[in-house]
Amino acid sequence: MAHVLLGVTGSIAAFKSCHLASDWTKAGHVVRVVETAAAERFVTPLTFTSLTGQPTRTVMFPDSPAVPGDVAANPQAPATINHVKDAAWADVLVVAPASADVIARIAAGMADDTLTSTILAYEGPKLLCPAMNVHMFDNPATQRNLGICRDLGWRVLDPAEGNLACGDTGRGRMPEPEEIERAVAALLGGTDGDGATASQPLKGLHVLVTAGPTQEPLDPVRYLTNHSTGKMGYAVAAAAAALGARVTLVSGPVALDAPEGVDVVRVVTARDMFAAVGEAFADADITVMAAAVGDFRVDEVSAEKIKKAGRESMTLRLVSNPDILAWAGEHKRSDGSQILCGFAMETEHLLANAAGKLASKHCDMLVANNLRDKGAGFATDTNLVAVLTPSEQDAGTPHIEHWDLMDKTALAKRLLLRLAALRG
Ligand code: C5P
């Protein structure tokens, strides 16, 4: 289930936005509407709130709390940063209908009302559905602004031809809700052709996940390992299955139950994990490596229990394990149809280290978390991450998004929708 943020501007086509809000809500999505002042002249906020069960945003500085329940949960919570909260909350942003005015304001990077402020704070997949008079649409200024919006990462759905409310005939009608819904399902990760639906955007895709620690034996009794509990990787596997994907989870030794509908391959050492990933990788559309793989193993594992008698000290010689993520980066298909995401946990120089890994391991996305951040890291149910993606303009400087502290389940879902969109 996705969080859909629906921006509505002043156009008679706003009545079709009621259908969108209703359809997505019935499909199980959570829909929140942001209206411009002109949109309120066509459809009242009460209509959208009644259809979605969510607050409808109309003003920048409301008296009421940002989200119902916020004040109860945290009386100190500021009530006036809805645009930032909504932008972080949303999985997809749709502006339908988009007037010539809002398109111009988006192109100019303005933030002069609650809708454009939300848009400026938002970093995910976004869809623009222009609706206006044919001459306004054909005007070079509007066409220039739409070109800028495309360059800013907007998917633009061309308006349909037909009779316009003003009496003219031509291009300018907002596409029908079904077409917008298909475009949003595609942005959420599916494609129109593979059976993906709004509620199962990963249907038809194979997701491979690694999770948990590895154990590197010293002797039949002892091993080297780390504090990973597997919670993040298991959350990714469970979310992928819930979003409709076929999922293979390669898991080191953890105390977690297999998520429902997920094919689990249990491994112990890094080399076991490498072999299992090697089997599944070629067929995977999206691979998320969340495992905390042991970088080293003991060179010679003792066949019998190592005895302490007669020893004052002992030296273990360690040798490097294969880097599974780096191997996958080197072997992924070159046509962009295979998406690779790594994780990096650091205790210092987080972003510099993560940027290095993104490039050296040929990842499409790298999720960085600092072990020392409150609410992040091993054994927690939440995570605080920065998400790095390669920049097309400058290969040496990745694009970095800082996500709010969130539940590992919510983070997993958001991550998968982003990865699927990268594939699209
Ligand atoms: O280099 P570092 O271990 O910090 O990289 C972390 C990322 O690389 C994680 O995604 C982890 O799952 C992956 N990794 C791996 N094989 C290794 C070491 C790390 O797949 N041997």
Side-chain angles (χ1 to χ4, degrees), residues 195-409:
T197 61
S199 60
Q200 299 231 293
L202 301 196
K203 198 163 179 193
L205 299 184
H206 180 196
V207 175
L208 170 63
V209 184
T210 68
T214 58
Q215 292 178 354
E216 305 298 335
L218 276 63
D219 66 17
V221 181
R222 307 172 180 101
Y223 53 80
L224 296 177
T225 191
N226 57 64
H227 292 295
S228 171
T229 59
K231 278 186 178 177
M232 190 65 244
Y234 272 60
V236 172
L243 292 167
R246 179 163 66 85
V247 185
T248 304
L249 171 61
V250 179
S251 171
V254 296
L256 301 172
D257 291 333
E260 206 166 311
V262 167
D263 193 7
V264 183
V265 182
R266 296 198 183 272
V267 297
V268 176
T269 67
R271 285 191 293 178
D272 295 343
M273 185 171 276
F274 189 27
V277 168
E279 287 265 303
F281 182 67
D283 182 57
D285 300 299
I286 295 173
T287 300
V288 181
M289 297 214 182
V293 185
D295 288 330
F296 295 98
R297 66 177 183 276
V298 178
D299 190 13
E300 279 178 40
V301 179
S302 171
E304 304 301 335
K305 184 181 172 194
I306 300 167
K307 306 300 288 178
K308 66 172 183 283
R311 294 182 200 259
E312 273 304 304
S313 67
M314 72 176 289
T315 303
L316 290 172
R317 196 181 119 80
L318 304 180
V319 291
S320 253
N321 270 327
D323 191 316
I324 309 168
L325 181 60
W327 173 87
E330 279 166 22
H331 289 82
K332 70 178 174 179
R333 290 190 291 271
S334 55
D335 62 2
S337 61
Q338 212 174 11
I339 296 295
L340 185 60
C341 171
F343 271 71
M345 179 179 281
E346 302 290 344
T347 53
E348 57 178 356
H349 311 306
L350 176 66
L351 294 178
N353 281 321
K357 281 172 201 177
L358 177 76
S360 67
K361 303 195 190 199
H362 305 287
C363 294
D364 301 289
M365 184 181 280
L366 200 113
V367 183
N369 49 185
N370 188 333
L371 183 62
R372 304 234 162 90
D373 279 344
K374 198 162 174 281
F378 297 132
T380 59
D381 289 322
T382 55
N383 210 349
L384 182 65
V385 301
V387 174
L388 288 78
T389 46
S391 153
E392 277 169 25
Q393 288 82 36
D394 176 2
T397 314
H399 180 65
I400 302 175
E401 287 179 22
H402 294 272
W403 289 7
D404 285 346
L405 180 72
M406 65 182 106
D407 201 62
K408 282 183 174 167
T409 302

Side-chain angles (χ1 to χ4, degrees), residues 32 41 47 51 114 153 187 240 251 272 313 360 387:
R32 211 172 271 174
R41 308 287 292 268
T47 306
L51 290 169
T114 188
L187 278 182
S251 171
D272 295 343
S313 67
S360 67
V387 174

